[in-house]
């Protein structure tokens, strides 16, 4: 585990984790926000339709910013829940709300050392703590915990201690329920069966995030899976210094993906890193059916090696999702069909995944299938002339200069799909976010290569 040191700020002396206090705060905020929005609606009831829509959008944006400001003050799981909703809530929340939630960043303000020291002694005991020299200043701080570097006295090994804030795990359910209630009171979401189903998935994800024993097991598992792949580094887990609320791993140095040093690497080295990230995603999808669904760049570091080859350090396995064959098989079939430009098979896959209904108009089904094929543009076996600007003079796809996301969003928005398309399966929501994360990772690296050769290798492995 490796993180960059946060800006120096005065540490917090406590964190509010009492469910009653937090729920009361969020309820008050929700009622106030709902009243403000109701007042806005009443004040503009006689405004013409166009201006009313414009004013409502502006009011929603102001509303969302107010809520985000209040959520940010509570720290703990509330912040993480807000971040998760920003990433995965576009199907349930107004655009203005998700845009505001995206500004809800992990607080870099750490808790004071005496509090963290108390957690360490409670979780590890005095005997094990005596074996460690723990740095009192954290090297990273987030919404659920912070990271301290330590040295094992007997061996000199440098490790990281990921320490969960006291009371955070116990507050997850109450916080999630309170945030959902806040959104309802603020009139920002309609609570119903579909939203409740998605909310339950977020609940499961949050409980995984705070289960450090599960994360330790998953980290060991991925370390075994990648043991013979020199392109990746997965930290070692030190079980002797780990518990339900403390995770001890090897300290792994590396550069942030967006650092100037990484950006200055020769194109071929950046291409190799980008190809490795795409290959890892396809391994997770096609072979392992286990995917790290959190696209946060903080989960990755770049280990620079001129001679042996650069490596990607993989951190934080708290958001790994396992997918059943009933979901994975149709997804892979859709990708295979899109790769082969088989529109009918793509549509069949969408129907199998319950994205669409077979009785929908042919034009709508065709449009959906074509959008799915377009998403695979960087990995496609062939391209038409309309995307020539996305390629360099060698015919290699330039991920950073491609406007693919904007083109897809624009096409989807103006198509008839919006009148028919429903909320996708919750599994796909998380998988889609990971795919976007992979594309963004490669774009930040400035990768210039065609992904079809990498994908084709997995199509052969899975072909019957």
């Amino acid at each position: 585990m490796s993180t960059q040191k946060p800006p120096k700020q005065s540490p917090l002396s406590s964190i509010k984790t009492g469910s009653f206090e937090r729920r009361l705060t969020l309820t008050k905020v929700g009622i106030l926000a709902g009243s403000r929005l109701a007042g806005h609606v009443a004040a503009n009831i006689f405004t013409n339709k166009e201006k009313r829509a414009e004013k409502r959008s502006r009011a929603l944006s102001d509303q969302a910013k107010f809520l985000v400001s209040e959520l940010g003050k509570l720290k703990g799981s509330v912040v993480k829940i807000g971040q998760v909703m920003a990433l995965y809530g576009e199907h349930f929340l107004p655009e203005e709300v998700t845009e505001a939630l995206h500004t809800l960043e992990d607080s870099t303000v750490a808790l004071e050392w005496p509090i963290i020291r108390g957690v360490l002694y409670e979780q590890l005991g005095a005997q094990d703590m005596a074996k460690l020299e723990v740095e009192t200043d954290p090297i990273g701080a987030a919404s659920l915990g912070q990271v301290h570097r330590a040295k094992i006295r007997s061996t000199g090994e440098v490790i990281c201690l990921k320490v969960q804030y006291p009371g955070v795990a116990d507050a997850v359910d109450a916080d999630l329920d309170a945030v959902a209630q806040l959104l309802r009171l603020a009139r920002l979401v309609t609570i119903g069966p579909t939203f409740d189903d998605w909310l339950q998935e977020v609940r499961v994800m949050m409980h995984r995030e705070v289960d450090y024993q599960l994360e330790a097991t998953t980290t060991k598992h991925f370390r075994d899976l990648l043991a013979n792949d020199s392109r990746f580094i997965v930290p070692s887990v030190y079980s002797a210094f780990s518990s339900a609320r403390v995770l001890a791993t090897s300290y792994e140095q590396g550069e942030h993906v967006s650092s100037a040093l990484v950006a200055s690497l020769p194109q071929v080295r950046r291409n190799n890193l980008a190809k490795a990230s795409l290959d890892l995603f396809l391994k997770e999808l096609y072979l392992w059916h286990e995917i790290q669904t959190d696209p946060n760049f903080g989960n990755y570091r770049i280990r620079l090696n001129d001679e042996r080859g650069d490596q990607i350090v993989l951190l934080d396995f708290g958001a790994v999702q396992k997918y059943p064959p009933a979901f994975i098989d149709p997804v892979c079939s859709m990708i295979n069909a899109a790769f082969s430009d088989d529109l009918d098979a793509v549509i069949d896959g969408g129907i199998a995944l319950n994205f669409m209904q077979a009785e929908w108009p042919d034009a709508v089904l065709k449009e959906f299938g074509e959008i799915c094929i377009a998403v695979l543009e960087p990995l496609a076996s062939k391209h038409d002339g309309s995307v020539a600007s996305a390629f360099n003079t060698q015919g290699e796809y330039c991920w950073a200069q491609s406007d693919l996301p904007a083109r897809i969003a624009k096409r989807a928005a103006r198509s008839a799909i919006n009148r028919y398309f429903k909320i996708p399966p919750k599994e796909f929501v998380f998988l889609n976010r990971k795919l976007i994360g992979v594309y963004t990772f490669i774009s930040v690296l400035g990768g210039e290569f065609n992904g079809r050769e990498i994908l084709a290798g997995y199509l052969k492995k899975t072909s019957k």
Side-chain angles (χ1 to χ4, degrees):
M1 187 179 301
S2 172
T3 55
Q4 292 182 333
K5 284 193 174 185
K8 192 69 173 179
Q9 299 185 52
S10 299
L12 298 176
S13 59
S14 65
I15 176 173
K16 297 179 181 179
T17 54
S19 60
F20 175 78
E21 181 182 17
R22 293 163 75 81
R23 185 185 292 271
L24 181 62
T25 299
L26 290 172
T27 299
K28 288 180 178 178
V29 171
I31 292 174
L32 176 60
S35 299
R36 288 169 51 175
L37 188 60
H40 163 80
V41 172
N44 291 278
I45 193 171
F46 297 113
T47 308
N48 69 60
K49 184 177 180 180
E50 183 176 333
K51 288 186 177 180
R52 189 162 61 243
E54 180 182 339
K55 289 184 177 182
R56 176 174 173 79
S57 176
R58 188 160 56 246
L60 277 174
S61 181
D62 292 341
Q63 185 87 308
K65 291 175 182 177
F66 167 68
L67 294 177
V68 165
S69 174
E70 295 302 314
L71 289 177
K73 295 175 183 178
L74 292 176
K75 204 175 171 64
S77 61
V78 163
V79 173
K80 190 68 176 183
I81 289 167
Q83 292 172 331
V84 170
M85 287 186 170
L87 291 173
Y88 307 115
E90 64 264 28
H91 300 289
F92 307 96
L93 303 174
E95 180 181 358
E96 295 85 355
V97 178
T98 55
E99 286 180 355
L101 286 173
H102 275 297
T103 68
L104 189 62
E105 299 179 354
D106 269 348
S107 173
T108 55
V109 180
L111 282 186
E112 292 179 346
W113 167 244
I115 300 173
I116 297 300
R117 182 176 180 274
V119 175
L120 287 171
Y121 269 89
E122 175 189 283
Q123 292 290 311
L124 304 183
Q127 187 174 353
D128 282 335
M129 282 296 291
K131 300 175 183 177
L132 300 174
E133 292 181 13
V134 185
E135 296 181 4
T136 58
D137 290 332
I139 59 173
S143 56
L144 301 179
Q146 61 195 55
V147 180
H148 288 255
R149 191 160 40 200
K151 183 169 68 174
I152 302 176
R153 296 179 189 274
S154 61
T155 64
E157 295 170 271
V158 179
I159 65 174
C160 283
L161 298 174
K162 182 179 177 180
V163 186
Q164 193 174 113
Y165 295 136
V168 164
D170 297 329
V172 166
D173 287 319
D175 281 351
L176 186 58
D177 292 340
V179 171
Q181 177 75 344
L182 180 150
L183 293 173
R184 186 184 69 82
L185 291 172
R187 305 184 182 190
L188 296 177
V189 67
T190 301
I191 304 296
T194 305
F195 177 78
D196 290 342
D197 186 44
W198 175 78
L199 201 66
Q200 179 59 26
E201 188 69 13
V202 175
R203 191 183 305 276
V204 171
M205 172 184 286
M206 288 300 303
H207 278 289
R208 282 201 301 265
E209 288 267 0
V210 297
D211 187 345
Y212 286 3
Q213 290 174 324
L214 175 61
E215 185 177 344
T217 299
T218 307
T219 303
K220 293 176 185 177
H221 176 55
F222 270 77
R223 182 175 170 83
D224 290 340
L225 289 173
L226 292 167
N228 298 318
D229 195 331
S230 61
R231 298 172 299 173
F232 303 99
I233 298 172
V234 177
S236 302
V237 174
Y238 287 75
S239 299
F241 302 109
S242 297
S243 71
R245 302 291 178 255
V246 177
L247 176 60
T249 66
S250 55
Y251 173 73
E252 303 293 349
Q253 292 182 315
E255 301 294 328
H256 194 276
V257 179
S258 60
S259 72
L261 194 57
V262 172
S264 67
L265 292 174
Q267 185 66 55
V268 65
R269 290 175 65 178
R270 286 185 283 118
N271 282 350
N272 288 337
L273 289 166
K275 290 176 182 178
S277 68
L278 176 60
D279 188 48
L280 177 61
F281 168 64
L282 294 175
K283 271 190 173 68
E284 292 176 328
L285 179 64
Y286 276 88
L287 304 183
W288 302 338
H289 300 178
E290 295 182 75
I291 300 173
Q292 161 60 292
T293 58
D294 187 350
N296 188 342
F297 278 7
N299 294 335
Y300 306 92
R301 288 291 183 270
I302 305 299
R303 176 79 57 82
L304 303 180
N305 287 305
D306 290 328
E307 298 178 0
R308 294 181 298 168
D310 304 311
Q311 298 169 294
I312 300 177
V313 181
L314 304 175
L315 307 170
D316 197 336
F317 291 87
V320 173
Q321 293 262 32
K322 292 185 178 181
Y323 291 97
F327 174 77
I328 282 291
D329 291 347
V331 168
C332 291
S333 294
M334 284 185 69
I335 295 175
N336 299 355
F339 181 81
S340 303
D341 204 25
D342 186 342
L343 181 61
D344 290 338
V346 172
I347 293 173
D348 289 342
I351 293 173
L353 286 167
N354 204 28
F355 286 169
M356 303 177 293
Q357 303 299 321
E359 61 270 18
W360 285 3
D362 289 341
V364 175
L365 295 175
K366 180 181 178 182
E367 180 70 7
F368 175 88
E370 289 178 349
I371 288 177
C372 290
I373 291 175
V375 170
L376 213 66
E377 177 181 288
L379 315 178
S381 57
K382 61 180 181 179
H383 300 91
D384 57 39
S386 64
V387 295
S389 61
F391 293 85
N392 62 22
T393 55
Q394 286 75 45
E396 298 167 321
Y397 195 84
C398 301
W399 297 67
Q401 72 184 45
S402 170
D403 63 345
L404 176 62
R407 280 188 280 119
I408 294 296
K410 184 177 180 180
R411 181 172 181 178
R414 71 187 183 200
S415 73
I417 292 176
N418 284 329
R419 294 198 297 271
Y420 292 88
F421 189 65
K422 61 181 181 178
I423 297 169
K426 58 183 181 297
E427 297 90 350
F428 190 83
V429 173
F430 298 104
L431 179 61
N432 180 59
R433 181 55 56 181
K434 174 57 183 277
L435 178 61
I436 294 173
V438 173
Y439 277 25
T440 304
F441 187 93
I442 295 174
S443 297
V444 170
L445 286 171
E448 296 184 8
F449 67 94
N450 298 316
R452 58 177 176 262
E453 293 87 357
I454 299 175
L455 176 57
Y458 287 92
L459 301 188
K460 293 177 181 178
K461 292 176 184 178
T462 56
S463 60
K464 298 182 179 179

